[in-house]
Amino acid sequence: MDITILCKDHHLRLTGPRLIILKVLLKSKDHPDAVELHRRVTKIEPGISLATVYRTLKLFEEKGVLEKHSFGDGPARFERADQEHHDHLINVETGDVIEFRSSGIEKLQEKIAREFGFFIVSHRLEIYVRPLKEEIDRHKCSRKV
């Protein structure tokens, strides 16, 4: 997506720091928090402060450019708002976030909403997970005790 069009569509003035922050965000394959984003941005432009990153993230979220996620107890993370709908698996051991799509889950949510007399306007699904091998090992340990 063209950054200048994105900013124009959201009535945002495209300053130098905003341009760099947005470029880094648009290239991100993960869901960085403000500190991680600042680390990446300062590799390009060392003069951008953490406060500027926080202000820019807040502005981009308010304007609908970004989505803010609070996965568990960790810091807020961000991703582009213009992506196709998807859900998240959050690894509670590492904090890694895995995006996925499931037509079965989508259909089930729609069915449940209809059964209660509603239609879905918006939703988020976050599933907190632990690697299966660790759970099997943990279960084996609890049997031995």
Side-chain angles (χ1 to χ4, degrees):
M1 170 173 280
D2 185 297
I3 293 170
T4 55
I5 292 172
L6 183 66
C7 287
K8 184 179 177 185
D9 288 349
H10 290 86
H11 309 289
L12 292 168
R13 194 167 52 91
L14 192 57
T15 64
R18 285 181 189 170
L19 177 63
I20 292 169
I21 292 167
L22 195 52
K23 278 184 178 179
V24 170
L25 279 166
L26 293 177
K27 288 181 184 176
S28 295
K29 302 283 187 223
D30 59 352
H31 302 73
D33 62 25
V35 173
E36 175 58 24
L37 182 60
H38 179 252
R39 187 187 67 72
R40 294 175 190 178
V41 164
T42 55
K43 285 182 177 179
I44 299 166
E45 178 54 59
I48 297 176
S49 71
L50 183 57
T52 297
V53 170
Y54 274 109
R55 280 192 307 273
T56 302
L57 288 172
K58 183 174 189 223
L59 177 66
F60 286 165
E61 179 194 3
E62 289 171 354
K63 293 290 188 173
V65 175
L66 298 178
E67 283 189 20
K68 179 179 178 181
H69 295 283
S70 297
F71 298 130
D73 294 335
R77 303 220 204 154
F78 298 86
E79 69 177 338
R80 298 168 54 163
D82 64 344
Q83 297 181 64
E84 182 180 341
H85 172 75
H86 59 273
D87 298 309
H88 297 97
L89 290 173
I90 298 95
N91 183 332
V92 297
E93 301 292 326
T94 65
D96 291 343
V97 178
I98 301 161
E99 295 179 352
F100 72 95
R101 291 175 183 80
S102 168
S103 60
I105 289 174
E106 297 302 315
K107 288 175 186 172
L108 180 59
Q109 291 174 125
E110 290 172 14
K111 179 181 181 243
I112 291 168
R114 276 194 315 274
E115 286 174 1
F116 282 92
F118 297 97
F119 66 91
I120 296 174
V121 176
S122 176
H123 77 279
R124 288 185 182 186
L125 177 61
E126 298 169 358
I127 303 172
Y128 295 84
V129 297
R130 179 174 284 117
L132 192 55
K133 183 179 178 337
E134 288 183 18
E135 191 61 34
I136 292 169
D137 290 345
R138 188 185 321 256
H139 186 66
K140 286 179 185 175
C141 290
S142 65
R143 280 191 191 174
K144 292 179 182 177
V145 174

